[in-house]
Amino acid sequence: MPMDLVLQSGSGLDVLKTIIKVSRPAGWCFGPTLYAIGVVHAVGNFKGRVIPRARNAPLVFLQLLSLSFPLALVVFGVNDVYDYDTDVHNPRKGADSLEGAVLSPSCHTTVLLGASLATALILSISAATRSLANLLVSCSLVFLSWTYSAPPLRLKERPVLDSLSNGTIVVLAYLSGYTARGGSLRRVPTGGLVLGLCTAGVHALGAAVDAEVDATAGQRTIATALGPRGAIAFGALSYLAALCAERRFSVFGVYLLGGLLVILVPLFGVERAHLAFRAVVYGTVGMSAVWFAEKAMSWRGRRNYETDVRTR
């Protein structure tokens, strides 16, 4: 059995350590990355024109930060509270694991309080943008982040919806950045929606890894309903659909193709699912860095061209 995180009452430092561990620091980059992609796509709407300066740049940066530790605490902290009964039987749960740790019941109230404060912070910053679209997206994001794990909805125990709701959370994090920079919800880029498909696929793959533990605990997931191979097949189909939507040999296209090939591997040996899951997650982080670098180089070249045109 994995070691519980123990919160010593009366120690503020221990409370802080527990909150940080539960939020899974390795996952703090996911929300800001998705937000930044949304910002980049919103700015991309100005093709053929000079990119305007962001008047609310400091607020955009604050909102980006609010999707790091605060959002991670809501998503992962609430999950660890309500997954306690299954986590105690899960060998993948460890104090320094990306998959999370076993959270002692003595910590549950503290973590839920922290998640509530984080929710208030996220919504306050969104309200400060004075963008109705951004506030609507933020409200939907925190609502889904809570209801994914918390009863009575507890979407993570509703097969197929568990994976789709994961994908929707990612799309909403992306839309937070997109609307913060002036993007319209009526014209959402296909690339943003495709991110949701990828996440649904990764979630299904992760569910396949936990299929036996979840079945023993009586939890219903996409993997307990469809079987581990069925869940893996769902993940592969999600990546295939995303690849078809991309339809070009871009950095993102290369990532999708690579992810698809990795997910196909455990179809021929379910015992490889955990390795494939970690490979896709860390591959996503690496390819995100490559994507941002490519965009930065493209913008730099474009600005140099605009400067040359003005000076001629």
Side-chain angles (χ1 to χ4, degrees):
M1 179 185 298
M3 183 179 297
D4 284 349
L5 290 179
V6 179
L7 176 63
Q8 297 178 9
S9 59
S11 172
L13 183 58
D14 286 329
V15 171
L16 180 60
K17 287 181 178 178
T18 298
I19 292 294
I20 290 175
K21 285 184 178 180
V22 168
S23 69
R24 306 182 200 179
W28 289 5
C29 64
F30 295 146
T33 298
L34 293 164
Y35 185 94
I37 292 174
V39 170
V40 170
H41 281 176
V43 172
N45 288 337
F46 295 97
K47 286 182 178 179
R49 291 175 285 164
V50 176
I51 300 173
R53 293 185 180 275
R55 296 179 180 178
N56 62 338
L59 197 55
V60 168
F61 183 66
L62 277 178
Q63 189 170 39
L64 180 146
L65 292 180
S66 76
L67 298 194
S68 57
F69 164 68
L71 182 62
L73 180 58
V74 175
V75 173
F76 298 130
V78 175
N79 179 78
D80 286 351
V81 167
Y82 291 104
D83 272 13
Y84 177 76
D85 290 339
T86 56
D87 285 350
V88 292
H89 302 293
N90 193 337
R92 288 202 298 133
K93 299 293 181 176
D96 299 315
S97 171
L98 179 62
E99 288 88 358
V102 179
L103 183 66
S104 171
S106 64
C107 308
H108 290 183
T109 300
T110 300
V111 170
L112 291 177
L113 176 60
S116 297
L117 294 175
T119 297
L121 175 65
I122 293 170
L123 294 181
S124 296
I125 294 175
S126 177
T129 66
R130 298 183 180 181
S131 165
L132 181 59
N134 187 271
L135 184 58
L136 176 62
V137 168
S138 296
C139 287
S140 301
L141 175 60
V142 295
F143 173 78
L144 200 55
S145 297
W146 275 88
T147 57
Y148 172 72
S149 301
L153 292 181
R154 195 160 161 77
L155 297 174
K156 71 176 300 175
E157 287 199 62
R158 300 176 186 271
V160 181
L161 270 180
D162 54 351
S163 292
L164 294 179
S165 59
N166 250 262
T168 304
I169 288 173
V170 160
V171 172
L172 290 170
Y174 161 86
L175 289 176
S176 293
Y178 183 70
T179 55
R181 196 61 173 88
S184 171
L185 293 178
R186 296 178 181 178
R187 297 185 301 275
V188 178
T190 302
L193 302 178
V194 165
L195 292 172
L197 279 175
C198 296
T199 305
V202 174
H203 174 271
L205 179 61
V209 178
D210 287 338
E212 185 176 345
V213 173
D214 289 336
T216 300
Q219 282 198 355
R220 299 186 71 237
T221 68
I222 188 172
T224 61
L226 304 181
R229 277 193 171 81
I232 295 169
F234 178 92
L237 287 174
S238 297
Y239 264 76
L240 179 60
L243 184 60
C244 291
E246 177 65 8
R247 293 183 301 180
R248 59 196 178 99
F249 193 71
S250 60
V251 171
F252 191 39
V254 171
Y255 159 73
L256 292 173
L257 178 59
L260 173 60
L261 294 176
V262 171
I263 293 177
L264 286 173
V265 171
L267 276 177
F268 304 98
V270 177
E271 68 279 358
R272 300 186 183 97
H274 188 206
L275 182 60
F277 173 78
R278 296 182 70 88
V280 172
V281 170
Y282 290 116
T284 299
V285 174
M287 289 303 291
S288 294
V290 173
W291 185 85
F292 280 116
E294 188 268 338
K295 290 297 180 183
M297 292 175 64
S298 175
W299 281 358
R300 183 177 180 180
R302 180 176 160 189
R303 283 194 176 278
N304 289 341
Y305 172 77
E306 291 173 349
T307 301
D308 290 343
V309 169
R310 292 194 198 99
T311 54
R312 286 176 183 174

